[in-house]
Amino acid sequence: MSVTYDDSVGVEVSSDSFWEVGNYKRTVKRIDDGHRLCGDLMNCLHERARIEKAYAQQLTEWARRWKQLVEKGPQYGTVEKAWMAVMSEAERVSELHLEVKASLMNEDFEKIKNWQKEAFHKQMMGGFKETKEAEDGFRKAQKPWAKKLKEVEAAKKAHHTACKEEKLAISREANSKADPSLNPEQLKKLQDKIEKCKQDVLKTKDKYEKALKELDQTTPQYMENMEQVFEQCQQFEEKRLRFFREVLLEVQKHLDLSNVASYKTIYRELEQNIKAADAVEDLRWFRANHGPGMAMNWPQFEEWSADLNRTLSRREKKKAADGVTLTGINQTGDHSGQNKTGSVSSYEKTQNYPADWSDDESNNPFTTDANGDSNPFDEDTTSGSEVRVRALYDYEGQEHDELSFKAGDELTKIEDEDEQGWCKGRLDSGQVGLYPANYVEAIQ
């Protein structure tokens, strides 16, 4: 350790020992460090609380967005329910993390703040009362011993100077004997100088030893007084250390969601919901609602009627999605009048089925043009105002009448959003079809 100097006693310090003059200041500084550490711990918990809040918000936003996407997407049945359960888990976990944030700030943060205020008392002139008391206690305990140590250092310096002068005088006297130009009187003066230096060495040595003896006599009391002040500082620091341990245990309890009953319940229910997904049931449902199990108005002989003499265009059918009454048609088959309720597939949510059917090519959505390309929207692509839009996300068409595009692609909206959340648009390639309205934004 480099040599330091304490202005209060004027003694050089060359050791790292606690007993050296002024080295008690590290113990005093620990009191100020304790106050700063309280602030650091509060800042630490405050940052963690912000992270918990941000994570909770991200979970909520993620769950909301994906609920909408799954609801409007092609997934259906019990697997759709299992998928939705994952978003429900996120919403419930988000609430728990908001509770963690509240506990960290309202309980742990405030507890540290109050303890810091009670443990450290600021002075009008700056600093803390506890720091000044420790500083004054150490200085008072060290002052008598430091004074004696200063005397020892002075006596040591004087003795060493006398020894140096003696050695120098002896050297001069030895050199003068070889110098014939010096007279006997000059030699006598050199010899007298040696004698005087020897006497000074003895005197300073005696004084040096006496000062050391006095210092040794005051050392036990010095050590006792310093121990007493140091122990008071230890007791103060022990309170802080024990308090920190207590607070950190409380923080651990608040952060550990594995011990929260509702947290365990969330994942137990999530597991049950996922395991409840039944592929066989979903396939059976799809068969009954969108496959061969659906009811069918098979063609039968019909008497002429004015209502049947009118052909509905595709667009008119779309507007008449609530149903069209047909006369003279009888249902056959076991499934007539069937309207199955229960889990509604997102496929069903986005489809509008026409109320009647005609083999007239002008009204057939699956009519193939001369080039062999099929486009069910060729008959009505210019109605309404057209708006240029830009895709926000990638979308892959799930049905023959849906468009596919990548995020950033531009297309033209040719019909406004319907009640199911779908728009009709045209790609730059000329293809016309449906797309989810919330997947695009208008180009300003």
Side-chain angles (χ1 to χ4, degrees):
M1 182 178 178
S2 61
V3 176
T4 59
Y5 191 80
D6 189 294
D7 294 334
S8 63
V9 294
V11 178
E12 290 186 352
V13 181
S14 59
S15 171
D16 197 36
S17 172
F18 165 78
W19 302 105
E20 293 287 353
V21 175
N23 278 3
Y24 63 80
K25 290 184 178 180
R26 291 175 299 189
T27 305
V28 175
K29 182 178 179 296
R30 187 175 62 174
I31 298 176
D32 291 333
D33 289 343
H35 182 272
R36 181 177 65 83
L37 288 170
C38 288
D40 289 345
L41 184 55
M42 285 191 288
N43 289 335
C44 176
L45 296 183
H46 184 248
E47 286 187 18
R48 179 57 186 267
R50 289 172 58 189
I51 292 172
E52 294 289 337
K53 180 180 179 181
Y55 179 56
Q57 291 174 340
Q58 289 175 353
L59 281 178
T60 301
E61 176 61 24
W62 174 84
R64 183 193 64 78
R65 186 168 66 90
W66 275 99
K67 269 190 172 181
Q68 293 178 353
L69 293 176
V70 173
E71 285 174 354
K72 295 182 178 181
Q75 186 56 63
Y76 57 90
T78 58
V79 173
E80 180 184 12
K81 289 182 179 179
W83 194 345
M84 296 293 282
V86 175
M87 275 70 84
S88 297
E89 172 270 341
E91 292 175 336
R92 296 170 68 183
V93 170
S94 172
E95 295 176 359
L96 292 180
H97 281 281
L98 287 177
E99 292 177 5
V100 170
K101 175 257 180 185
S103 297
L104 290 176
M105 293 303 298
N106 299 337
E107 297 180 30
D108 303 329
F109 184 93
E110 288 298 323
K111 187 174 184 179
I112 300 170
K113 182 179 179 181
N114 293 333
W115 187 90
Q116 183 189 45
K117 186 176 181 180
E118 294 174 0
F120 299 92
H121 302 85
K122 291 185 177 180
Q123 299 184 116
M124 294 292 294
M125 300 301 293
F128 299 104
K129 175 184 176 183
E130 292 72 22
T131 304
K132 188 176 186 306
E133 289 176 350
E135 177 77 29
D136 292 345
F138 279 121
R139 184 181 286 113
K140 182 178 179 181
Q142 200 172 68
K143 185 175 182 180
W145 188 84
K147 183 178 180 181
K148 292 295 181 182
L149 178 63
K150 186 177 181 180
E151 294 174 358
V152 168
E153 292 293 333
K156 181 177 74 170
K157 183 177 181 181
H159 175 63
H160 290 176
T161 301
C163 292
K164 181 179 179 181
E165 288 295 329
E166 179 189 23
K167 184 178 180 180
L168 183 59
I170 293 174
S171 176
R172 286 176 180 173
E173 194 268 340
N175 293 333
S176 66
K177 290 180 179 180
D179 188 358
S181 63
L182 294 177
N183 56 43
E185 184 179 351
Q186 290 175 323
L187 292 175
K188 180 70 168 58
K189 287 182 178 181
L190 290 174
Q191 291 173 352
D192 291 343
K193 178 67 173 176
I194 293 173
E195 187 63 28
K196 183 177 181 302
C197 287
K198 288 183 177 179
Q199 291 177 1
D200 288 343
V201 167
L202 293 175
K203 288 180 182 179
T204 54
K205 181 180 179 181
D206 182 62
K207 189 175 181 180
Y208 183 22
E209 290 177 343
K210 183 179 179 181
L212 276 174
K213 185 177 180 180
E214 291 177 355
L215 180 66
D216 291 342
Q217 290 175 349
T218 60
T219 296
Q221 185 63 45
Y222 163 65
M223 295 179 68
E224 181 181 345
N225 293 341
M226 291 289 284
E227 281 274 10
Q228 184 177 359
V229 180
F230 181 78
E231 187 58 32
Q232 293 174 356
C233 294
Q234 287 287 83
Q235 292 175 1
F236 183 82
E237 177 67 4
E238 182 182 10
K239 292 179 181 179
R240 186 190 69 82
L241 295 174
R242 291 185 180 278
F243 172 73
F244 269 41
R245 180 179 182 274
E246 176 186 341
V247 169
L248 291 174
L249 282 174
E250 290 296 321
V251 172
Q252 178 266 328
K253 291 179 181 177
H254 292 148
L255 295 178
D256 188 5
L257 295 179
S258 64
N259 290 325
V260 178
S262 58
Y263 187 76
K264 296 178 180 179
T265 302
I266 290 174
Y267 289 97
R268 184 168 58 249
E269 293 179 358
L270 175 61
E271 181 182 8
Q272 293 172 353
N273 287 328
I274 295 175
K275 287 183 176 180
D278 188 342
V280 175
E281 172 62 22
D282 288 354
L283 294 174
R284 186 199 62 76
W285 179 90
F286 192 89
R287 178 184 180 85
N289 289 272
H290 303 293
M294 295 181 67
M296 174 62 181
N297 292 328
W298 298 105
Q300 296 184 23
F301 179 80
E302 303 176 15
E303 295 293 344
W304 181 87
S305 170
D307 292 333
L308 290 178
N309 197 35
R310 179 171 172 266
T311 302
L312 297 177
S313 69
R314 180 182 180 87
R315 185 176 183 185
E316 288 172 329
K317 293 174 188 176
K318 183 177 179 181
K319 292 181 179 179
D322 291 339
V324 177
T325 302
L326 301 180
T327 62
I329 295 179
N330 297 321
Q331 284 189 331
T332 61
D334 296 336
H335 300 286
S336 61
Q338 179 182 8
N339 184 15
K340 184 174 179 64
T341 60
S343 176
V344 179
S345 80
S346 50
Y347 178 87
E348 186 178 32
K349 299 169 191 170
T350 60
Q351 302 300 314
N352 289 320
Y353 297 101
D356 73 355
W357 178 87
S358 171
D359 58 358
D360 184 358
E361 291 185 357
S362 64
N363 192 43
N364 189 349
F366 301 101
T367 299
T368 302
D369 61 19
N371 296 325
D373 296 329
S374 174
N375 192 336
F377 298 100
D378 286 343
E379 70 277 2
D380 186 11
T381 60
T382 59
S383 60
S385 60
E386 296 185 353
V387 179
R388 291 291 287 174
V389 295
R390 182 182 293 109
L392 297 173
Y393 317 101
D394 294 350
Y395 182 73
E396 186 70 26
Q398 303 297 314
E399 301 296 331
H400 67 278
D401 58 352
E402 295 179 8
L403 297 179
S404 297
F405 46 75
K406 299 292 185 182
D409 289 352
E410 295 184 4
L411 58 150
T412 302
K413 183 179 74 171
I414 59 179
E415 284 191 13
D416 292 334
E417 180 180 356
D418 63 16
E419 62 274 11
Q420 282 82 28
W422 291 79
C423 285
K424 187 176 179 181
R426 180 177 63 247
L427 299 179
D428 291 344
S429 64
Q431 181 184 355
V432 177
L434 299 174
Y435 63 86
N438 62 345
Y439 270 57
V440 302
E441 64 176 358
I443 299 176
Q444 300 298 328

